[in-house]
Amino acid sequence: MGQVAFDTLKFVETLEGAGLPKDQAKAISLAVRESHQAVDVATKRDLGDVRKEIDGRFDKVDARFEKIESQIADVRKDLSAEITNVRKDLSSEIALVRKDVEHIANGLLLKLGGVIVVTISAATAILKFF
């Protein structure tokens, strides 16, 4: 941190102009100068340096966010393509299952029809004997 510039002579003259005796004005001026020396005060230059450092850090963070946003966009594209492929695969599989179910249903209908014919034939034969 920098030191604050303090003009003791001008300060003494100001105090004398306000009516204080020279000895008191010098004592007050020395006390103020010592208090400024004891305190670690930031100057405009110090603040400017800190601001530059913070701006640099923010620039780095912004660059990281841009990179991450780009990576997220890539992942979204990949996932979207993957979801589209899964949907196509599922649609194909569902179509195959429907065909299989239809084929099985047709086979069952034929067998059921055969059972009905055999049952009617058996019932007819039984009725002829009685």
Side-chain angles (χ1 to χ4, degrees):
M1 298 277 173
Q3 290 232 303
V4 176
F6 181 68
D7 186 352
T8 55
L9 180 60
K10 186 174 181 182
F11 190 64
V12 168
E13 290 172 354
T14 303
L15 291 175
E16 285 177 344
L20 283 177
K22 188 170 191 164
D23 291 340
Q24 282 183 341
K26 283 183 179 181
I28 292 172
S29 176
L30 289 174
V32 171
R33 185 179 71 184
E34 288 174 5
S35 71
H36 283 173
Q37 289 174 346
V39 177
D40 200 13
V41 179
T43 63
K44 286 183 181 180
R45 182 175 179 183
D46 293 332
L47 294 176
D49 291 344
V50 170
R51 175 171 284 187
K52 286 178 187 175
E53 182 181 337
I54 290 173
D55 287 345
R57 288 184 182 185
F58 274 120
D59 289 343
K60 288 179 183 178
V61 170
D62 288 344
R64 284 183 185 169
F65 276 128
E66 288 174 8
K67 184 178 179 183
I68 290 170
E69 286 172 348
S70 174
Q71 291 171 340
I72 289 171
D74 291 343
V75 168
R76 283 182 177 159
K77 287 178 188 175
D78 293 345
L79 284 176
S80 179
E82 202 58 39
I83 289 169
T84 300
N85 290 337
V86 168
R87 284 181 177 164
K88 286 179 185 176
D89 292 345
L90 283 175
S91 294
S92 299
E93 292 294 322
I94 289 170
L96 290 174
V97 169
R98 283 184 178 162
K99 284 182 182 178
D100 288 346
V101 168
E102 186 179 329
H103 179 70
I104 291 170
N106 287 338
L108 287 175
L109 281 174
L110 289 174
K111 287 180 184 179
L112 181 62
V115 169
I116 290 173
V117 168
V118 169
T119 304
I120 290 174
S121 299
T124 304
I126 291 173
L127 287 177
K128 281 186 181 181
F129 287 117
F130 292 114

